[in-house]
mmCIF file of all heavy atoms in Angstrom:
data_model
loop_
_atom_site.group_PDB
_atom_site.id
_atom_site.type_symbol
_atom_site.label_atom_id
_atom_site.label_comp_id
_atom_site.label_asym_id
_atom_site.label_seq_id
_atom_site.Cartn_x
_atom_site.Cartn_y
_atom_site.Cartn_z
ATOM 1 N N SER A 107 -38.265 -38.335 -32.454
ATOM 2 C CA SER A 107 -39.429 -39.139 -32.069
ATOM 3 C C SER A 107 -40.777 -38.550 -32.454
ATOM 4 O O SER A 107 -41.781 -39.251 -32.426
ATOM 5 C CB SER A 107 -39.411 -39.351 -30.554
ATOM 6 O OG SER A 107 -39.576 -38.117 -29.879
ATOM 7 N N LEU A 108 -40.816 -37.259 -32.792
ATOM 8 C CA LEU A 108 -42.114 -36.638 -33.100
ATOM 9 C C LEU A 108 -42.403 -36.707 -34.602
ATOM 10 O O LEU A 108 -41.490 -36.824 -35.409
ATOM 11 C CB LEU A 108 -42.124 -35.176 -32.641
ATOM 12 C CG LEU A 108 -41.927 -34.954 -31.139
ATOM 13 C CD1 LEU A 108 -41.791 -33.469 -30.837
ATOM 14 C CD2 LEU A 108 -43.072 -35.545 -30.331
ATOM 15 N N VAL A 181 -34.700 -48.119 -30.245
ATOM 16 C CA VAL A 181 -35.438 -47.898 -28.991
ATOM 17 C C VAL A 181 -36.112 -49.190 -28.509
ATOM 18 O O VAL A 181 -35.954 -49.574 -27.348
ATOM 19 C CB VAL A 181 -36.429 -46.712 -29.104
ATOM 20 C CG1 VAL A 181 -37.298 -46.602 -27.858
ATOM 21 C CG2 VAL A 181 -35.658 -45.400 -29.320
ATOM 22 N N MET A 185 -35.406 -51.140 -24.978
ATOM 23 C CA MET A 185 -36.515 -51.484 -24.074
ATOM 24 C C MET A 185 -36.562 -52.990 -23.819
ATOM 25 O O MET A 185 -36.846 -53.433 -22.701
ATOM 26 C CB MET A 185 -37.850 -51.011 -24.661
ATOM 27 C CG MET A 185 -37.987 -49.501 -24.779
ATOM 28 S SD MET A 185 -37.783 -48.613 -23.212
ATOM 29 C CE MET A 185 -39.280 -49.110 -22.360
ATOM 30 N N ARG A 189 -36.402 -55.036 -20.260
ATOM 31 C CA ARG A 189 -37.358 -56.088 -19.879
ATOM 32 C C ARG A 189 -36.636 -57.385 -19.516
ATOM 33 O O ARG A 189 -37.032 -58.099 -18.597
ATOM 34 C CB ARG A 189 -38.358 -56.325 -21.027
ATOM 35 C CG ARG A 189 -39.309 -55.154 -21.211
ATOM 36 C CD ARG A 189 -40.315 -55.386 -22.338
ATOM 37 N NE ARG A 189 -40.915 -54.104 -22.692
ATOM 38 C CZ ARG A 189 -40.772 -53.491 -23.851
ATOM 39 N NH1 ARG A 189 -40.072 -54.054 -24.817
ATOM 40 N NH2 ARG A 189 -41.338 -52.323 -24.066
ATOM 41 N N LEU A 224 -32.423 -41.085 -19.606
ATOM 42 C CA LEU A 224 -33.576 -41.957 -19.360
ATOM 43 C C LEU A 224 -34.887 -41.202 -19.542
ATOM 44 O O LEU A 224 -35.896 -41.781 -19.941
ATOM 45 C CB LEU A 224 -33.498 -42.573 -17.950
ATOM 46 C CG LEU A 224 -32.222 -43.372 -17.605
ATOM 47 C CD1 LEU A 224 -32.434 -44.203 -16.352
ATOM 48 C CD2 LEU A 224 -31.779 -44.270 -18.748
ATOM 49 N N ASP A 225 -34.870 -39.895 -19.271
ATOM 50 C CA ASP A 225 -36.082 -39.090 -19.468
ATOM 51 C C ASP A 225 -36.441 -38.997 -20.948
ATOM 52 O O ASP A 225 -37.602 -39.120 -21.331
ATOM 53 C CB ASP A 225 -35.908 -37.694 -18.849
ATOM 54 C CG ASP A 225 -34.628 -36.991 -19.287
ATOM 55 O OD1 ASP A 225 -33.689 -37.668 -19.768
ATOM 56 O OD2 ASP A 225 -34.541 -35.764 -19.145
ATOM 57 N N THR A 226 -35.403 -38.813 -21.787
ATOM 58 C CA THR A 226 -35.629 -38.752 -23.238
ATOM 59 C C THR A 226 -36.174 -40.084 -23.747
ATOM 60 O O THR A 226 -37.128 -40.130 -24.527
ATOM 61 C CB THR A 226 -34.312 -38.408 -23.974
ATOM 62 O OG1 THR A 226 -33.785 -37.202 -23.420
ATOM 63 C CG2 THR A 226 -34.521 -38.221 -25.469
ATOM 64 N N SER A 227 -35.559 -41.180 -23.276
ATOM 65 C CA SER A 227 -35.990 -42.516 -23.708
ATOM 66 C C SER A 227 -37.429 -42.782 -23.288
ATOM 67 O O SER A 227 -38.225 -43.318 -24.063
ATOM 68 C CB SER A 227 -35.068 -43.587 -23.113
ATOM 69 O OG SER A 227 -33.728 -43.290 -23.428
ATOM 70 N N LYS A 228 -37.769 -42.387 -22.061
ATOM 71 C CA LYS A 228 -39.139 -42.571 -21.561
ATOM 72 C C LYS A 228 -40.124 -41.733 -22.385
ATOM 73 O O LYS A 228 -41.206 -42.194 -22.741
ATOM 74 C CB LYS A 228 -39.217 -42.194 -20.075
ATOM 75 C CG LYS A 228 -40.654 -42.199 -19.511
ATOM 76 C CD LYS A 228 -40.682 -41.849 -18.041
ATOM 77 C CE LYS A 228 -42.019 -41.291 -17.598
ATOM 78 N NZ LYS A 228 -43.197 -42.117 -17.944
ATOM 79 N N TYR A 229 -39.714 -40.527 -22.684
ATOM 80 C CA TYR A 229 -40.571 -39.625 -23.467
ATOM 81 C C TYR A 229 -40.881 -40.236 -24.834
ATOM 82 O O TYR A 229 -42.020 -40.218 -25.304
ATOM 83 C CB TYR A 229 -39.891 -38.263 -23.627
ATOM 84 C CG TYR A 229 -40.736 -37.259 -24.370
ATOM 85 C CD1 TYR A 229 -41.722 -36.532 -23.710
ATOM 86 C CD2 TYR A 229 -40.580 -37.051 -25.732
ATOM 87 C CE1 TYR A 229 -42.526 -35.626 -24.396
ATOM 88 C CE2 TYR A 229 -41.373 -36.158 -26.426
ATOM 89 C CZ TYR A 229 -42.337 -35.444 -25.749
ATOM 90 O OH TYR A 229 -43.135 -34.560 -26.435
ATOM 91 N N ILE A 230 -39.862 -40.814 -25.469
ATOM 92 C CA ILE A 230 -40.039 -41.421 -26.789
ATOM 93 C C ILE A 230 -40.998 -42.610 -26.709
ATOM 94 O O ILE A 230 -41.968 -42.700 -27.452
ATOM 95 C CB ILE A 230 -38.677 -41.867 -27.390
ATOM 96 C CG1 ILE A 230 -37.796 -40.645 -27.711
ATOM 97 C CG2 ILE A 230 -38.879 -42.705 -28.658
ATOM 98 C CD1 ILE A 230 -36.349 -40.982 -28.064
ATOM 99 N N ILE A 231 -40.732 -43.524 -25.758
ATOM 100 C CA ILE A 231 -41.546 -44.739 -25.678
ATOM 101 C C ILE A 231 -42.988 -44.409 -25.265
ATOM 102 O O ILE A 231 -43.938 -45.012 -25.766
ATOM 103 C CB ILE A 231 -40.890 -45.818 -24.763
ATOM 104 C CG1 ILE A 231 -41.279 -47.225 -25.240
ATOM 105 C CG2 ILE A 231 -41.198 -45.647 -23.304
ATOM 106 C CD1 ILE A 231 -40.630 -47.680 -26.516
ATOM 107 N N ASP A 232 -43.161 -43.428 -24.395
ATOM 108 C CA ASP A 232 -44.523 -43.017 -23.993
ATOM 109 C C ASP A 232 -45.298 -42.450 -25.187
ATOM 110 O O ASP A 232 -46.486 -42.730 -25.354
ATOM 111 C CB ASP A 232 -44.473 -41.962 -22.874
ATOM 112 C CG ASP A 232 -44.070 -42.563 -21.525
ATOM 113 O OD1 ASP A 232 -43.962 -43.804 -21.440
ATOM 114 O OD2 ASP A 232 -43.852 -41.785 -20.561
ATOM 115 N N GLY A 233 -44.601 -41.664 -26.002
ATOM 116 C CA GLY A 233 -45.232 -41.069 -27.192
ATOM 117 C C GLY A 233 -45.666 -42.134 -28.184
ATOM 118 O O GLY A 233 -46.785 -42.107 -28.704
ATOM 119 N N TRP A 234 -44.783 -43.112 -28.417
ATOM 120 C CA TRP A 234 -45.109 -44.189 -29.358
ATOM 121 C C TRP A 234 -46.212 -45.077 -28.802
ATOM 122 O O TRP A 234 -47.064 -45.554 -29.551
ATOM 123 C CB TRP A 234 -43.872 -45.030 -29.663
ATOM 124 C CG TRP A 234 -42.806 -44.283 -30.410
ATOM 125 C CD1 TRP A 234 -42.858 -42.987 -30.852
ATOM 126 C CD2 TRP A 234 -41.528 -44.785 -30.797
ATOM 127 N NE1 TRP A 234 -41.688 -42.656 -31.480
ATOM 128 C CE2 TRP A 234 -40.849 -43.736 -31.462
ATOM 129 C CE3 TRP A 234 -40.873 -46.008 -30.638
ATOM 130 C CZ2 TRP A 234 -39.562 -43.881 -31.973
ATOM 131 C CZ3 TRP A 234 -39.596 -46.160 -31.141
ATOM 132 C CH2 TRP A 234 -38.942 -45.103 -31.811
ATOM 133 N N HIS A 235 -46.190 -45.303 -27.480
ATOM 134 C CA HIS A 235 -47.208 -46.137 -26.833
ATOM 135 C C HIS A 235 -48.594 -45.508 -26.993
ATOM 136 O O HIS A 235 -49.582 -46.206 -27.225
ATOM 137 C CB HIS A 235 -46.866 -46.322 -25.346
ATOM 138 C CG HIS A 235 -47.855 -47.166 -24.601
ATOM 139 N ND1 HIS A 235 -48.086 -48.486 -24.916
ATOM 140 C CD2 HIS A 235 -48.676 -46.871 -23.558
ATOM 141 C CE1 HIS A 235 -49.016 -48.971 -24.098
ATOM 142 N NE2 HIS A 235 -49.390 -48.020 -23.278
ATOM 143 N N SER A 236 -48.648 -44.178 -26.903
ATOM 144 C CA SER A 236 -49.946 -43.505 -27.066
ATOM 145 C C SER A 236 -50.425 -43.583 -28.518
ATOM 146 O O SER A 236 -51.620 -43.608 -28.791
ATOM 147 C CB SER A 236 -49.890 -42.058 -26.577
ATOM 148 O OG SER A 236 -49.035 -41.306 -27.410
ATOM 149 N N LEU A 237 -49.472 -43.646 -29.474
ATOM 150 C CA LEU A 237 -49.837 -43.786 -30.892
ATOM 151 C C LEU A 237 -50.302 -45.209 -31.212
ATOM 152 O O LEU A 237 -51.237 -45.419 -31.967
ATOM 153 C CB LEU A 237 -48.633 -43.463 -31.795
ATOM 154 C CG LEU A 237 -48.255 -42.009 -32.044
ATOM 155 C CD1 LEU A 237 -46.973 -41.955 -32.875
ATOM 156 C CD2 LEU A 237 -49.359 -41.260 -32.783
ATOM 157 N N GLU A 238 -49.575 -46.187 -30.636
ATOM 158 C CA GLU A 238 -49.890 -47.609 -30.900
ATOM 159 C C GLU A 238 -49.943 -48.377 -29.585
ATOM 160 O O GLU A 238 -49.021 -49.131 -29.256
ATOM 161 C CB GLU A 238 -48.828 -48.217 -31.819
ATOM 162 C CG GLU A 238 -48.779 -47.643 -33.220
ATOM 163 C CD GLU A 238 -47.721 -48.310 -34.100
ATOM 164 O OE1 GLU A 238 -47.464 -49.529 -33.922
ATOM 165 O OE2 GLU A 238 -47.136 -47.605 -34.941
ATOM 166 N N PRO A 239 -51.035 -48.214 -28.793
ATOM 167 C CA PRO A 239 -51.103 -48.821 -27.464
ATOM 168 C C PRO A 239 -51.029 -50.351 -27.446
ATOM 169 O O PRO A 239 -50.653 -50.947 -26.432
ATOM 170 C CB PRO A 239 -52.439 -48.335 -26.900
ATOM 171 C CG PRO A 239 -53.179 -47.723 -28.036
ATOM 172 C CD PRO A 239 -52.206 -47.379 -29.087
ATOM 173 N N LEU A 243 -43.877 -53.828 -28.496
ATOM 174 C CA LEU A 243 -42.543 -53.223 -28.554
ATOM 175 C C LEU A 243 -42.526 -51.834 -27.924
ATOM 176 O O LEU A 243 -41.488 -51.337 -27.514
ATOM 177 C CB LEU A 243 -42.069 -53.123 -30.005
ATOM 178 C CG LEU A 243 -41.738 -54.429 -30.724
ATOM 179 C CD1 LEU A 243 -41.426 -54.156 -32.185
ATOM 180 C CD2 LEU A 243 -40.559 -55.138 -30.068
ATOM 181 N N PHE A 244 -43.705 -51.192 -27.878
ATOM 182 C CA PHE A 244 -43.800 -49.834 -27.353
ATOM 183 C C PHE A 244 -44.334 -49.798 -25.921
ATOM 184 O O PHE A 244 -44.695 -48.739 -25.418
ATOM 185 C CB PHE A 244 -44.707 -48.971 -28.254
ATOM 186 C CG PHE A 244 -44.221 -48.805 -29.672
ATOM 187 C CD1 PHE A 244 -45.076 -48.326 -30.670
ATOM 188 C CD2 PHE A 244 -42.915 -49.116 -30.034
ATOM 189 C CE1 PHE A 244 -44.634 -48.163 -31.990
ATOM 190 C CE2 PHE A 244 -42.471 -48.971 -31.341
ATOM 191 C CZ PHE A 244 -43.322 -48.497 -32.326
ATOM 192 N N ALA A 245 -44.403 -50.949 -25.267
ATOM 193 C CA ALA A 245 -44.936 -50.991 -23.892
ATOM 194 C C ALA A 245 -43.992 -50.269 -22.933
ATOM 195 O O ALA A 245 -42.769 -50.434 -23.015
ATOM 196 C CB ALA A 245 -45.121 -52.438 -23.452
ATOM 197 N N PRO A 246 -44.541 -49.461 -22.002
ATOM 198 C CA PRO A 246 -43.687 -48.767 -21.027
ATOM 199 C C PRO A 246 -42.993 -49.763 -20.077
ATOM 200 O O PRO A 246 -43.433 -50.897 -19.945
ATOM 201 C CB PRO A 246 -44.670 -47.881 -20.247
ATOM 202 C CG PRO A 246 -45.929 -47.871 -21.043
ATOM 203 C CD PRO A 246 -45.969 -49.139 -21.818
ATOM 204 N N SER A 247 -41.924 -49.303 -19.442
ATOM 205 C CA SER A 247 -41.188 -50.149 -18.498
ATOM 206 C C SER A 247 -41.301 -49.581 -17.087
ATOM 207 O O SER A 247 -40.949 -48.424 -16.861
ATOM 208 C CB SER A 247 -39.711 -50.200 -18.909
ATOM 209 O OG SER A 247 -38.872 -50.324 -17.780
ATOM 210 N N PRO A 248 -41.788 -50.387 -16.114
ATOM 211 C CA PRO A 248 -41.895 -49.907 -14.722
ATOM 212 C C PRO A 248 -40.554 -49.429 -14.160
ATOM 213 O O PRO A 248 -40.495 -48.421 -13.455
ATOM 214 C CB PRO A 248 -42.401 -51.134 -13.956
ATOM 215 C CG PRO A 248 -43.049 -52.002 -14.984
ATOM 216 C CD PRO A 248 -42.325 -51.752 -16.271
ATOM 217 N N LEU A 250 -37.857 -48.252 -15.822
ATOM 218 C CA LEU A 250 -37.469 -46.983 -16.451
ATOM 219 C C LEU A 250 -38.277 -45.829 -15.844
ATOM 220 O O LEU A 250 -37.719 -44.783 -15.499
ATOM 221 C CB LEU A 250 -37.691 -47.053 -17.965
ATOM 222 C CG LEU A 250 -37.264 -45.838 -18.790
ATOM 223 C CD1 LEU A 250 -35.757 -45.619 -18.724
ATOM 224 C CD2 LEU A 250 -37.692 -45.977 -20.245
ATOM 225 N N ASN A 251 -39.582 -46.049 -15.679
ATOM 226 C CA ASN A 251 -40.456 -45.024 -15.081
ATOM 227 C C ASN A 251 -40.002 -44.659 -13.668
ATOM 228 O O ASN A 251 -39.979 -43.489 -13.285
ATOM 229 C CB ASN A 251 -41.907 -45.503 -15.039
ATOM 230 C CG ASN A 251 -42.522 -45.572 -16.434
ATOM 231 O OD1 ASN A 251 -41.944 -45.085 -17.397
ATOM 232 N ND2 ASN A 251 -43.682 -46.195 -16.544
ATOM 233 N N VAL A 254 -36.741 -42.552 -13.665
ATOM 234 C CA VAL A 254 -37.022 -41.171 -14.084
ATOM 235 C C VAL A 254 -37.690 -40.413 -12.939
ATOM 236 O O VAL A 254 -37.356 -39.254 -12.672
ATOM 237 C CB VAL A 254 -37.893 -41.140 -15.370
ATOM 238 C CG1 VAL A 254 -38.356 -39.726 -15.680
ATOM 239 C CG2 VAL A 254 -37.104 -41.693 -16.564
#
Side-chain angles (χ1 to χ4, degrees):
S107 65
L108 299 173
V181 173
M185 295 303 290
R189 290 181 196 115
L224 304 195
D225 51 341
T226 305
S227 306
K228 173 179 156 53
Y229 182 83
I230 293 169
I231 210 72
D232 287 353
W234 294 358
H235 180 62
S236 67
L237 282 176
E238 294 181 33
L243 291 174
F244 298 165
S247 148
L250 183 64
N251 290 349
V254 171

